Amino acid sequence: MSAPVPPRRPTHPRPPAEAVRGTARAFVAAIERHLLVVEHRSGEADPKVAAAFNDLRTAFLDYEDAVYEAYDEVLPFEVLEDEDDIDLDDDDEDDELDDDELEEIDDEDDED
């Protein structure tokens, strides 16, 4: 009979539940601040909106990290790293056509 295996210890300490709740409260507060600033923006390039956006992003990432570290849980959202990652099209299809699709379009044009 083999000796019982001791429980596996995490490689890094988990944050206490209150710390996770603190990041959740900070995230909610950042959402509220962002909305307030957006409602009272002074124009398209209002620096207060940009600052609130960055604060909201940071608060979300802090919360996301805390929840993952404490509970090994992921959130159903992603933060885009770059503006180029943003797809403003509502289409689910790729915007680029592959070679076969281009040939089909070219063949259709030749038939006319």
Side-chain angles (χ1 to χ4, degrees):
M1 191 151 126
S2 62
V5 177
R8 194 175 124 207
R9 294 185 179 193
T11 56
H12 56 281
R14 291 181 172 205
E18 188 51 40
V20 177
R21 289 191 171 280
T23 62
R25 285 190 295 272
F27 178 43
V28 170
I31 292 170
E32 293 288 342
R33 279 192 306 276
H34 180 265
L35 179 57
L36 183 65
V37 170
V38 168
E39 289 173 336
H40 297 93
R41 74 182 338 147
S42 62
E44 282 295 315
D46 188 334
K48 291 178 184 176
V49 173
F53 175 93
N54 290 329
D55 291 346
L56 177 56
R57 183 180 189 280
T58 299
F60 168 76
L61 292 172
D62 290 346
Y63 174 66
E64 180 182 46
D65 288 345
V67 168
Y68 184 77
E69 287 178 23
Y71 305 112
D72 200 29
E73 188 64 39
V74 295
L75 300 178
F77 312 110
E78 286 183 51
V79 172
L80 299 175
E81 296 300 323
D82 191 321
E83 283 185 26
D84 294 337
D85 293 340
I86 300 173
D87 183 10
L88 298 176
D89 294 338
D90 290 335
D91 299 340
D92 290 336
E93 298 179 25
D94 268 338
D95 291 338
E96 296 181 24
L97 300 173
D98 65 23
D99 290 339
D100 293 335
E101 291 171 317
L102 287 173
E103 279 183 34
E104 288 175 19
I105 292 171
D106 190 40
D107 290 344
E108 290 173 6
D109 288 343
D110 291 343
E111 291 174 6
D112 293 335

